[in-house]
Amino acid sequence: MDRLHALSLFAAVAEAESFAGGARAMGVSAPTATRAVHALETVLGTALLTRTTRQVRLTETGRAYLEQVRDVLAQLQAADDQAAGTAQRPVGQLRITCPQEFGRIYVAPLLTEFLDRFPAVSADVLMVDRVVNLVEEGFDLAVRIGPLPSSGLVAVRVGEVRRIVCGAPAYFRQHGRPASPAELSRHRLVSIGTGGPAREWRFGSGSGPAVAIQPQLNVSSIAAAIEIARQGWGLSRVLSYQVGPDLESGALETVLDAAAPEALPIHLVRADGRGSAAKVRAFMEFAAERLRQNSALRRARA
């Protein structure tokens, strides 16, 4: 058994959650991938994957093993790059994860510019509103919004955002502007959530006072809430970056800025040990420069 090839196939199958998908990613047949993983399990004396007719899942042992395998493969790739003299040349696939709206508005445009500059790099971007484990899920870097917990991640701060209340000029002309959070009870509100309407919005620094609200409309989509506010139907509360272009154009305006909560930092983060790859270094430097220049991510208040 070619141990290194087997490890690569195991990682590919685990990421695809399919022998066929992992085999395609590695350019081999599904039976070849199946035999390689089975041989690896035989050598280790334990099951790494559970198989069903439709899906392949990692066992608990397999999940821990995959994390170590990814580190080994990343270190080997870095060593190969160094020996081949390509450590300073961005090449290969870049895997990025970021919040959905942040990715749509800010990451996608700068990423296409980056790929034009470095055509030997390709990118796979997961835009999802959850914290992705970079090592376990095999990502090179992420955009994180909010305070960072203590971890082994290397972080570069690129800006900050706030939670803001916003509406269209037409709404304010018709209904006026709330002068304090307490006056929100007299306005038409659009809340965002999947578990039913929000019942309070928190303002001020730290824990801040919670203000009871009675939204007439709740939607599960941030983009939908913003569009409803943009059309002048009501007020919504979002993160300032999510409406940056609308604030710049005047399509939306903010209220209650003086009561806004403390700013939330924005960081680019990568797992410690993956920074030797030129593609990761190059993108972090490129993205940090571009994001820091964006006024929507630099304003202390929206």
Side-chain angles (χ1 to χ4, degrees):
M1 175 183 64
D2 183 335
R3 186 65 172 272
L4 180 58
H5 190 55
L7 293 177
S8 298
L9 283 169
F10 163 64
V13 169
E15 289 172 8
E17 296 185 344
S18 160
F19 279 99
R24 280 194 300 271
M26 292 292 293
V28 300
S29 67
T32 297
T34 302
R35 287 193 297 271
V37 174
H38 179 70
L40 189 60
E41 291 176 320
T42 300
V43 169
L44 296 173
T46 186
L48 300 174
L49 301 167
T50 57
R51 290 86 159 164
T52 67
T53 55
R54 293 188 174 183
Q55 200 169 39
V56 173
R57 294 282 190 182
L58 286 163
T59 64
E60 195 65 32
T61 300
R63 188 172 293 107
Y65 189 63
L66 177 61
E67 184 174 335
Q68 295 175 337
V69 166
R70 281 174 171 153
D71 284 342
V72 169
L73 295 176
Q75 291 173 21
L76 179 60
Q77 184 62 57
D80 287 348
D81 289 346
Q82 184 70 45
T86 61
Q88 302 305 315
R89 181 167 59 89
V91 296
Q93 186 182 66
L94 188 65
R95 301 198 71 211
I96 303 169
T97 178
C98 57
Q100 191 165 17
E101 286 299 292
F102 194 95
R104 179 182 67 83
I105 300 170
Y106 301 103
V107 175
L110 66 85
L111 183 56
T112 54
E113 184 182 351
F114 178 81
L115 296 179
D116 284 342
R117 180 177 295 188
F118 299 105
V121 177
S122 62
D124 176 24
V125 185
L126 175 66
M127 299 182 186
V128 62
D129 296 326
R130 67 176 174 86
V131 176
V132 173
N133 187 306
L134 299 187
V135 175
E136 287 186 3
E137 299 186 49
F139 284 88
D140 295 301
L141 55 93
V143 176
R144 295 277 166 84
I145 299 174
L148 294 176
S150 297
S151 68
L153 299 178
V154 177
V156 175
R157 183 163 175 156
V158 296
E160 64 179 28
V161 294
R162 288 180 181 271
R163 294 195 181 278
I164 59 166
V165 179
C166 63
Y171 177 89
F172 295 126
R173 286 194 296 270
Q174 183 176 356
H175 301 282
R177 296 171 178 268
S180 69
E183 292 186 12
L184 289 171
S185 61
R186 300 200 291 268
H187 285 265
R188 187 182 287 171
L189 305 181
V190 183
S191 66
I192 304 168
T194 56
R199 296 303 179 188
E200 64 180 32
W201 286 347
R202 196 169 292 278
F203 292 86
S205 60
S207 56
V211 176
I213 62 168
Q214 295 181 328
Q216 189 175 354
L217 175 61
N218 178 76
V219 294
S220 62
S221 164
I222 295 169
I226 292 170
E227 180 59 27
I228 291 167
R230 194 183 290 126
Q231 295 301 320
W233 190 87
L235 305 180
S236 193
R237 195 182 201 211
V238 297
L239 289 171
S240 56
Y241 81 81
Q242 295 166 341
V243 291
D246 293 301
L247 297 178
E248 292 288 346
S249 69
L252 291 173
E253 299 174 356
T254 62
V255 291
L256 305 177
D257 288 348
E262 294 176 345
L264 299 171
I266 306 172
H267 290 91
L268 295 175
V269 301
R270 64 169 173 80
D272 193 12
R274 289 180 179 262
S276 58
K279 61 184 179 182
V280 178
R281 292 199 313 272
F283 183 77
M284 287 194 74
E285 292 171 3
F286 177 86
E289 179 183 2
R290 290 291 192 275
L291 294 173
R292 286 168 178 161
Q293 291 171 352
N294 195 306
S295 61
L297 308 180
R298 289 189 287 108
R299 287 179 293 195
R301 295 193 180 277

Coordinates of all heavy atoms in Angstrom, one line a residue, residues 99-170:
P99 N -19.1 34.6 6.6 CA -20.6 34.8 6.7 C -21.2 35.1 5.3 O -20.5 35.6 4.4 CB -20.7 36.0 7.6 CG -19.4 36.0 8.4 CD -18.4 35.5 7.4
Q100 N -22.4 34.6 5.1 CA -23.0 34.6 3.8 C -23.1 36.0 3.2 O -22.7 36.2 2.1 CB -24.4 34.1 3.9 CG -25.1 33.8 2.6 CD -26.3 32.9 2.7 OE1 -26.8 32.7 3.7 NE2 -26.7 32.3 1.6
E101 N -23.6 37.0 3.9 CA -23.8 38.4 3.3 C -22.4 39.0 3.2 O -22.2 39.8 2.2 CB -24.7 39.2 4.2 CG -26.2 38.8 4.0 CD -26.7 39.0 2.6 OE1 -26.8 40.1 2.1 OE2 -27.0 38.0 1.9
F102 N -21.5 38.8 4.1 CA -20.2 39.4 4.0 C -19.5 38.9 2.8 O -18.8 39.6 2.0 CB -19.4 39.1 5.3 CG -18.1 39.9 5.4 CD1 -18.1 41.1 6.1 CD2 -16.9 39.5 4.7 CE1 -17.0 41.9 6.2 CE2 -15.8 40.3 4.8 CZ -15.8 41.5 5.6
G103 N -19.7 37.6 2.6 CA -19.0 37.0 1.4 C -19.6 37.5 0.1 O -18.9 37.8 -0.9
R104 N -20.9 37.7 0.0 CA -21.6 38.2 -1.2 C -21.1 39.6 -1.5 O -20.8 39.9 -2.6 CB -23.1 38.1 -1.0 CG -23.9 38.6 -2.2 CD -25.3 38.6 -2.0 NE -25.8 39.5 -1.0 CZ -26.0 40.8 -1.2 NH1 -25.9 41.3 -2.4 NH2 -26.5 41.6 -0.2
I105 N -21.1 40.5 -0.5 CA -20.8 41.9 -0.7 C -19.4 42.2 -0.8 O -18.9 43.0 -1.7 CB -21.5 42.7 0.5 CG1 -23.0 42.5 0.5 CG2 -21.2 44.2 0.3 CD1 -23.6 43.1 1.8
Y106 N -18.5 41.5 0.0 CA -17.1 42.0 0.1 C -16.1 40.9 -0.4 O -15.1 41.3 -1.0 CB -16.8 42.4 1.6 CG -17.7 43.5 2.1 CD1 -18.7 43.2 2.9 CD2 -17.5 44.8 1.7 CE1 -19.6 44.2 3.4 CE2 -18.3 45.8 2.1 CZ -19.3 45.5 3.0 OH -20.2 46.5 3.4
V107 N -16.3 39.7 0.0 CA -15.3 38.7 -0.4 C -15.3 38.3 -1.8 O -14.3 38.3 -2.5 CB -15.4 37.4 0.5 CG1 -14.5 36.3 0.0 CG2 -15.2 37.7 2.0
A108 N -16.5 38.1 -2.4 CA -16.6 37.7 -3.8 C -15.9 38.7 -4.8 O -15.1 38.2 -5.6 CB -18.0 37.5 -4.2
P109 N -16.2 40.0 -4.7 CA -15.5 40.9 -5.6 C -14.0 40.9 -5.5 O -13.3 41.0 -6.5 CB -16.1 42.3 -5.2 CG -17.4 42.0 -4.6 CD -17.1 40.7 -3.8
L110 N -13.4 40.9 -4.2 CA -12.0 41.0 -4.1 C -11.3 39.6 -4.5 O -10.2 39.6 -4.9 CB -11.6 41.5 -2.7 CG -11.8 40.6 -1.5 CD1 -10.8 39.6 -1.3 CD2 -11.9 41.5 -0.3
L111 N -12.1 38.5 -4.3 CA -11.6 37.2 -4.6 C -11.4 37.1 -6.1 O -10.3 36.5 -6.6 CB -12.5 36.1 -4.1 CG -12.0 34.7 -4.3 CD1 -10.6 34.5 -3.7 CD2 -13.0 33.7 -3.7
T112 N -12.3 37.6 -6.9 CA -12.1 37.5 -8.4 C -10.9 38.3 -8.8 O -10.2 37.9 -9.7 CB -13.4 37.9 -9.1 OG1 -13.8 39.2 -8.7 CG2 -14.6 37.0 -8.9
E113 N -10.7 39.4 -8.2 CA -9.6 40.2 -8.5 C -8.3 39.5 -8.2 O -7.3 39.5 -8.9 CB -9.6 41.6 -7.8 CG -8.5 42.5 -8.2 CD -8.6 43.8 -7.4 OE1 -9.6 44.1 -6.7 OE2 -7.6 44.6 -7.5
F114 N -8.3 38.8 -7.0 CA -7.1 38.1 -6.6 C -6.8 36.9 -7.6 O -5.7 36.7 -7.9 CB -7.4 37.5 -5.2 CG -6.3 36.6 -4.6 CD1 -5.1 37.2 -4.1 CD2 -6.4 35.3 -4.7 CE1 -4.1 36.4 -3.6 CE2 -5.3 34.4 -4.2 CZ -4.2 35.0 -3.7
L115 N -7.9 36.2 -8.0 CA -7.7 35.1 -8.9 C -7.2 35.6 -10.3 O -6.4 34.9 -11.0 CB -9.0 34.3 -9.1 CG -9.5 33.6 -7.8 CD1 -10.8 32.9 -8.1 CD2 -8.4 32.6 -7.3
D116 N -7.6 36.8 -10.7 CA -7.0 37.3 -11.9 C -5.6 37.6 -11.8 O -4.8 37.4 -12.7 CB -7.8 38.6 -12.3 CG -9.2 38.4 -12.9 OD1 -9.4 37.2 -13.3 OD2 -10.0 39.3 -12.9
R117 N -5.2 38.0 -10.6 CA -3.8 38.4 -10.4 C -2.9 37.1 -10.3 O -1.7 37.1 -10.7 CB -3.6 39.2 -9.1 CG -2.2 39.6 -8.8 CD -2.1 40.5 -7.5 NE -2.8 41.8 -7.8 CZ -2.7 42.8 -6.9 NH1 -2.0 42.6 -5.8 NH2 -3.3 43.9 -7.2
F118 N -3.5 36.0 -9.7 CA -2.8 34.8 -9.5 C -3.5 33.6 -10.2 O -4.3 32.9 -9.5 CB -2.6 34.5 -8.0 CG -1.8 35.5 -7.3 CD1 -2.5 36.4 -6.4 CD2 -0.4 35.6 -7.4 CE1 -1.8 37.4 -5.7 CE2 0.3 36.6 -6.7 CZ -0.4 37.5 -5.9
P119 N -3.4 33.5 -11.5 CA -4.2 32.5 -12.2 C -3.9 31.0 -11.9 O -4.6 30.1 -12.2 CB -3.8 32.8 -13.7 CG -2.5 33.5 -13.6 CD -2.6 34.3 -12.4
A120 N -2.8 30.8 -11.2 CA -2.4 29.4 -10.8 C -3.2 29.0 -9.5 O -3.1 27.9 -9.0 CB -0.9 29.3 -10.5
V121 N -4.0 29.9 -8.9 CA -4.8 29.7 -7.7 C -6.2 29.5 -8.1 O -6.7 30.2 -9.0 CB -4.6 30.8 -6.7 CG1 -5.5 30.5 -5.5 CG2 -3.2 31.0 -6.3
S122 N -6.9 28.5 -7.5 CA -8.3 28.4 -7.6 C -8.9 28.5 -6.2 O -8.2 28.5 -5.2 CB -8.7 27.0 -8.2 OG -8.3 26.0 -7.3
A123 N -10.2 28.7 -6.1 CA -10.8 29.0 -4.8 C -12.1 28.2 -4.6 O -12.9 28.1 -5.6 CB -11.0 30.5 -4.6
D124 N -12.3 27.8 -3.4 CA -13.6 27.1 -3.0 C -14.0 27.9 -1.8 O -13.4 28.0 -0.8 CB -13.3 25.7 -2.7 CG -14.6 25.0 -2.1 OD1 -15.7 25.5 -2.4 OD2 -14.4 24.0 -1.4
V125 N -15.2 28.6 -1.9 CA -15.7 29.5 -0.8 C -17.0 29.0 -0.2 O -18.0 28.8 -1.0 CB -15.9 30.9 -1.3 CG1 -16.2 31.9 -0.2 CG2 -14.6 31.4 -2.0
L126 N -17.0 28.7 1.1 CA -18.2 28.3 1.8 C -18.7 29.6 2.5 O -18.1 30.1 3.5 CB -17.9 27.2 2.8 CG -19.1 26.8 3.7 CD1 -20.2 26.2 2.8 CD2 -18.6 25.8 4.8
M127 N -19.9 30.1 2.0 CA -20.5 31.3 2.7 C -21.6 30.7 3.6 O -22.7 30.3 3.1 CB -21.1 32.2 1.6 CG -20.0 32.8 0.7 SD -20.6 34.0 -0.5 CE -19.2 34.3 -1.5
V128 N -21.4 30.8 4.9 CA -22.4 30.2 5.8 C -22.3 30.9 7.1 O -21.2 31.3 7.6 CB -22.1 28.7 6.0 CG1 -20.7 28.5 6.6 CG2 -23.1 28.0 6.8
D129 N -23.4 31.1 7.8 CA -23.5 31.9 9.0 C -23.3 30.9 10.2 O -24.2 30.8 11.1 CB -24.8 32.6 9.1 CG -24.9 33.7 8.0 OD1 -23.9 34.3 7.6 OD2 -26.1 33.9 7.5
R130 N -22.2 30.3 10.3 CA -21.8 29.5 11.5 C -20.3 29.5 11.6 O -19.6 29.8 10.6 CB -22.3 28.1 11.4 CG -21.7 27.3 10.3 CD -22.2 25.8 10.3 NE -21.7 25.0 9.2 CZ -20.5 24.4 9.2 NH1 -19.7 24.5 10.2 NH2 -20.1 23.7 8.1
V131 N -19.8 29.2 12.7 CA -18.3 29.2 12.9 C -17.8 27.8 12.4 O -18.2 26.8 13.0 CB -18.0 29.4 14.4 CG1 -16.5 29.2 14.6 CG2 -18.4 30.7 14.9
V132 N -17.0 27.8 11.4 CA -16.5 26.6 10.8 C -15.1 26.3 11.5 O -14.3 27.2 11.6 CB -16.3 26.8 9.3 CG1 -15.6 25.6 8.7 CG2 -17.6 27.0 8.6
N133 N -14.9 25.0 11.8 CA -13.6 24.6 12.4 C -12.7 24.4 11.2 O -12.8 23.5 10.4 CB -13.8 23.3 13.1 CG -12.5 22.9 13.8 OD1 -11.4 22.8 13.2 ND2 -12.6 22.6 15.1
L134 N -11.7 25.3 11.1 CA -10.8 25.4 9.9 C -10.0 24.1 9.8 O -9.9 23.5 8.7 CB -9.8 26.5 10.1 CG -10.4 27.9 10.1 CD1 -9.3 29.0 10.1 CD2 -11.4 28.2 9.0
V135 N -9.5 23.5 10.9 CA -8.7 22.3 10.8 C -9.5 21.1 10.5 O -9.3 20.3 9.5 CB -7.9 22.1 12.1 CG1 -7.1 20.8 12.0 CG2 -6.9 23.3 12.3
E136 N -10.6 20.9 11.2 CA -11.4 19.7 11.0 C -12.1 19.7 9.7 O -12.3 18.6 9.1 CB -12.5 19.6 12.1 CG -12.0 19.3 13.5 CD -13.1 19.0 14.5 OE1 -14.3 19.1 14.1 OE2 -12.7 18.8 15.7
E137 N -12.5 20.9 9.1 CA -13.2 20.9 7.9 C -12.3 21.3 6.7 O -12.8 21.4 5.6 CB -14.4 21.9 8.0 CG -15.4 21.4 9.1 CD -16.7 22.2 9.1 OE1 -17.3 22.5 8.0 OE2 -17.0 22.7 10.2
G138 N -11.0 21.4 7.0 CA -10.1 21.6 5.9 C -10.1 22.9 5.2 O -9.9 23.0 3.9
F139 N -10.3 24.0 5.9 CA -10.3 25.3 5.3 C -8.9 26.0 5.6 O -8.3 25.9 6.7 CB -11.4 26.2 5.8 CG -12.7 25.8 5.1 CD1 -13.5 24.8 5.7 CD2 -13.2 26.4 4.0 CE1 -14.7 24.4 5.1 CE2 -14.3 26.0 3.4 CZ -15.1 25.0 3.9
D140 N -8.5 26.9 4.7 CA -7.3 27.6 4.8 C -7.5 28.9 5.7 O -6.6 29.2 6.5 CB -6.7 28.1 3.5 CG -6.3 26.9 2.6 OD1 -5.5 26.1 3.1 OD2 -6.9 26.7 1.5
L141 N -8.6 29.6 5.5 CA -8.8 30.8 6.3 C -10.3 31.1 6.3 O -11.1 30.6 5.6 CB -8.0 32.0 5.7 CG -8.1 32.3 4.3 CD1 -9.2 33.4 4.1 CD2 -6.8 32.8 3.7
A142 N -10.6 32.1 7.2 CA -12.0 32.4 7.4 C -12.1 33.9 7.8 O -11.1 34.5 8.2 CB -12.6 31.6 8.6
V143 N -13.3 34.5 7.6 CA -13.6 35.8 8.1 C -14.5 35.6 9.3 O -15.4 34.8 9.3 CB -14.4 36.6 7.0 CG1 -14.9 37.9 7.6 CG2 -13.6 36.8 5.8
R144 N -14.1 36.2 10.4 CA -14.8 36.1 11.7 C -15.2 37.5 12.1 O -14.4 38.4 12.1 CB -13.9 35.4 12.8 CG -13.5 34.0 12.5 CD -14.6 33.0 12.9 NE -14.4 31.7 12.3 CZ -13.7 30.7 12.8 NH1 -13.0 31.0 13.9 NH2 -13.6 29.6 12.2
I145 N -16.5 37.6 12.5 CA -17.0 38.8 13.0 C -17.4 38.7 14.5 O -18.2 37.8 14.8 CB -18.3 39.3 12.2 CG1 -17.9 39.5 10.7 CG2 -18.9 40.6 12.8 CD1 -19.0 39.8 9.8
G146 N -16.8 39.5 15.4 CA -17.1 39.4 16.8 C -15.8 39.1 17.5 O -14.8 38.8 16.9
P147 N -15.8 39.1 18.9 CA -14.6 38.8 19.7 C -14.2 37.4 19.4 O -15.0 36.5 19.2 CB -15.1 39.0 21.1 CG -16.3 39.8 21.0 CD -17.0 39.5 19.7
L148 N -12.8 37.2 19.3 CA -12.3 35.9 19.1 C -12.0 35.2 20.4 O -11.3 35.8 21.2 CB -11.0 36.0 18.2 CG -11.1 36.6 16.8 CD1 -9.8 36.7 16.2 CD2 -12.0 35.6 16.0
P149 N -12.4 34.0 20.5 CA -12.0 33.2 21.7 C -10.5 32.8 21.6 O -9.9 32.9 20.6 CB -12.9 32.0 21.7 CG -13.2 31.8 20.2 CD -13.2 33.2 19.6
S150 N -10.0 32.5 22.8 CA -8.6 32.0 22.8 C -8.5 30.7 21.9 O -9.3 29.8 22.1 CB -8.1 31.7 24.2 OG -8.1 32.9 24.9
S151 N -7.6 30.7 21.0 CA -7.4 29.5 20.1 C -6.1 29.5 19.5 O -5.3 30.4 19.7 CB -8.5 29.5 19.0 OG -8.3 30.6 18.1
G152 N -5.8 28.5 18.7 CA -4.5 28.4 18.0 C -4.6 29.1 16.6 O -3.7 29.0 15.8
L153 N -5.6 30.0 16.4 CA -5.7 30.7 15.1 C -4.8 31.9 15.1 O -4.6 32.6 16.1 CB -7.1 31.1 14.9 CG -8.2 29.9 14.8 CD1 -9.6 30.5 14.6 CD2 -7.8 29.0 13.7
V154 N -4.3 32.2 13.9 CA -3.6 33.4 13.6 C -4.6 34.4 13.1 O -5.2 34.1 12.1 CB -2.4 33.2 12.7 CG1 -1.7 34.5 12.3 CG2 -1.4 32.2 13.3
A155 N -4.7 35.6 13.7 CA -5.7 36.6 13.3 C -5.2 37.9 12.8 O -4.2 38.4 13.4 CB -6.7 36.8 14.4
V156 N -5.8 38.5 11.8 CA -5.4 39.8 11.4 C -6.7 40.7 11.4 O -7.7 40.3 10.7 CB -4.8 39.8 9.9 CG1 -4.6 41.2 9.4 CG2 -3.5 39.0 9.9
R157 N -6.7 41.8 12.1 CA -7.9 42.6 12.2 C -8.0 43.5 10.9 O -7.0 44.1 10.5 CB -7.9 43.5 13.4 CG -9.2 44.3 13.6 CD -9.3 44.8 15.0 NE -10.5 45.7 15.1 CZ -11.1 46.0 16.2 NH1 -10.7 45.3 17.4 NH2 -12.1 46.8 16.3
V158 N -9.2 43.5 10.3 CA -9.4 44.3 9.1 C -10.5 45.3 9.2 O -10.7 46.1 8.2 CB -9.7 43.3 7.9 CG1 -8.5 42.4 7.6 CG2 -10.9 42.5 8.1
G159 N -11.2 45.4 10.3 CA -12.2 46.4 10.4 C -13.2 46.1 11.5 O -12.8 45.3 12.4
E160 N -14.3 46.8 11.6 CA -15.3 46.7 12.6 C -16.7 47.0 12.1 O -16.8 47.8 11.1 CB -14.9 47.5 13.8 CG -15.0 49.0 13.6 CD -14.7 49.8 14.9 OE1 -14.0 49.2 15.7 OE2 -15.2 50.9 15.0
V161 N -17.7 46.5 12.7 CA -19.1 46.8 12.3 C -19.9 47.0 13.6 O -19.5 46.6 14.7 CB -19.7 45.7 11.4 CG1 -19.0 45.6 10.1 CG2 -19.6 44.4 12.1
R162 N -21.1 47.5 13.4 CA -22.0 47.7 14.5 C -23.4 47.1 14.2 O -23.7 47.1 13.0 CB -22.2 49.1 14.9 CG -21.0 49.7 15.7 CD -21.2 51.2 16.0 NE -20.1 51.8 16.7 CZ -19.9 51.8 18.0 NH1 -20.8 51.2 18.8 NH2 -18.8 52.3 18.5
R163 N -24.2 46.8 15.2 CA -25.6 46.6 14.9 C -26.3 47.9 14.8 O -26.2 48.7 15.7 CB -26.2 45.7 16.0 CG -25.6 44.3 16.1 CD -26.4 43.4 17.0 NE -25.8 42.1 17.0 CZ -25.9 41.1 16.1 NH1 -26.7 41.4 15.1 NH2 -25.3 40.0 16.3
I164 N -27.1 48.1 13.7 CA -27.7 49.4 13.5 C -29.2 49.1 13.2 O -29.6 48.1 12.8 CB -27.1 50.1 12.3 CG1 -27.1 49.3 11.1 CG2 -25.6 50.5 12.7 CD1 -26.8 50.0 9.8
V165 N -30.0 50.2 13.4 CA -31.4 50.2 13.0 C -31.4 51.1 11.8 O -30.9 52.2 11.8 CB -32.3 50.8 14.1 CG1 -33.7 50.8 13.6 CG2 -32.2 49.9 15.4
C166 N -32.1 50.6 10.7 CA -32.1 51.4 9.5 C -33.4 51.3 8.8 O -34.3 50.5 9.0 CB -31.0 50.9 8.5 SG -31.2 49.2 8.0
G167 N -33.7 52.3 7.9 CA -34.9 52.4 7.1 C -34.7 53.3 5.9 O -33.6 53.9 5.8
A168 N -35.6 53.3 5.0 CA -35.5 54.1 3.8 C -36.0 55.5 4.1 O -36.8 55.8 5.0 CB -36.4 53.5 2.7
P169 N -35.4 56.5 3.3 CA -35.9 57.9 3.5 C -37.4 58.0 3.4 O -38.0 58.8 4.1 CB -35.1 58.6 2.4 CG -33.9 57.8 2.1 CD -34.3 56.4 2.4
A170 N -38.0 57.3 2.5 CA -39.5 57.4 2.3 C -40.2 57.0 3.6 O -41.2 57.6 4.0 CB -39.9 56.5 1.2

